[in-house]
Amino acid sequence: MLGKVLLITGGKVNMDFAEEYTASQEYDTVVCADSGLNTAYRLGMPVHYFMGDFDSVSPEILEAYREGKVEGSEHCEWVRYPKEKDYVDTQLVLEWILEKGADEITFLGATGGRLDHFLANVNILMLALKQKVPAYIVDSRNRIRLTDSTLSIERQDMYGKYLSLLPLTSTVTGVTLRGLKYLIEDYTLEVGIARAISNEMDETSDKAEILLRTGVLIVVESKD
């Protein structure tokens, strides 16, 4: 088992945020997908596994990790994927993490840069959801997850002021919101209709609750 995992992907990262965020968290395993290794190096972070085709990793950084020259990473393992492949590096790495077993997965670098990669990263969260492994995409302003069942978020655990819900499946039925400023009851959210955006915690509530009957929701907690 890999325990609590930090997965650093190849997207652009706000380094000030990344330094502050990773310093406030504890992880059992750090895994880098391709040029996520560059980010780990800039953070001075020990890496346990790094994987990809390494087409966008600095050669000097790649050599430093492969040769065990980075403090705390002397025994890290690496796997090279072919450049021509059917899936993006992040999906291949996520599948490997799930196969090894993880208690929780946080993605860093999954929102910055190309929008096609960002949308792909949101979609592959389904792999973790199907195995009931909590998985989050984080950046300086957002935390993104998927849910197909009741989800409660304590006030002190809210990532930001705003809470938005988007259907990942064509419909999400039985959506009921509690503890929020704007409430809905037994509602059906449909793809193509932005009905549940920029909600906020009710001033008198200590937690927000999202209930649903069928389907999958994208849950986005955001800061201004």
Side-chain angles (χ1 to χ4, degrees):
M1 287 285 291
L2 302 178
K4 186 176 179 181
V5 177
L6 176 65
L7 170 52
I8 306 178
T9 76
K12 294 180 180 179
V13 174
N14 179 316
M15 292 303 297
D16 289 338
F17 159 75
E19 289 175 2
E20 181 179 355
Y21 182 81
T22 55
S24 70
Q25 307 292 315
E26 292 186 3
Y27 298 99
D28 300 302
T29 307
V30 177
V31 184
C32 293
D34 207 66
S35 59
L37 197 64
N38 294 334
T39 300
Y41 186 81
R42 292 171 64 192
L43 290 170
M45 178 169 287
V47 172
H48 300 93
Y49 303 93
F50 58 101
M51 307 175 186
D53 54 31
F54 307 129
D55 59 346
S56 52
V57 179
S58 161
E60 294 78 15
I61 291 175
L62 182 60
E63 181 181 3
Y65 277 100
R66 288 181 61 181
E67 298 296 326
K69 298 176 181 178
V70 178
E71 184 177 355
S73 303
E74 293 84 358
H75 303 292
C76 65
E77 300 180 27
W78 64 283
V79 177
R80 183 184 292 275
Y81 296 128
K83 186 174 179 61
E84 301 295 330
K85 52 189 178 296
D86 294 328
Y87 304 103
V88 296
D89 289 321
T90 304
Q91 177 167 340
L92 294 172
V93 176
L94 177 58
E95 289 176 344
W96 180 88
I97 291 171
L98 292 170
E99 182 180 338
K100 293 291 184 182
D103 297 326
E104 181 181 298
I105 305 168
T106 299
F107 292 68
L108 183 64
T111 63
R114 287 173 48 177
L115 288 179
D116 54 344
H117 283 180
F118 164 63
L119 292 172
N121 289 334
V122 172
N123 274 266
I124 65 176
L125 289 177
M126 278 291 295
L127 299 174
L129 183 69
K130 288 178 179 178
Q131 295 195 29
K132 302 188 184 304
V133 176
Y136 309 89
I137 291 173
V138 298
D139 66 15
S140 62
R141 298 193 176 205
N142 307 281
R143 180 169 66 184
I144 304 168
R145 71 181 95 176
L146 303 182
T147 186
D148 60 0
S149 59
T150 298
L151 176 64
S152 295
I153 307 173
E154 300 291 333
R155 177 181 289 277
Q156 66 267 22
D157 295 330
M158 282 285 288
Y159 196 72
K161 178 179 179 181
Y162 301 107
L163 180 68
S164 296
L165 307 175
L166 294 160
L168 183 62
T169 49
S170 58
T171 60
V172 182
T173 67
V175 179
T176 297
L177 302 180
R178 296 174 181 162
L180 292 163
K181 187 174 181 179
Y182 306 106
L183 303 178
I184 52 179
E185 183 80 25
D186 198 20
Y187 190 82
T188 297
L189 290 174
E190 302 179 34
V191 166
I193 300 176
R195 174 66 172 82
I197 303 298
S198 294
N199 212 331
E200 301 176 32
M201 184 86 76
D202 185 87
E203 292 180 359
T204 63
S205 302
D206 57 4
K207 67 178 177 180
E209 287 188 286
I210 304 163
L211 299 87
L212 60 89
R213 189 161 50 250
T214 65
V216 178
L217 281 174
I218 305 170
V219 180
V220 184
E221 299 160 71
S222 299
K223 308 173 185 178
D224 273 329

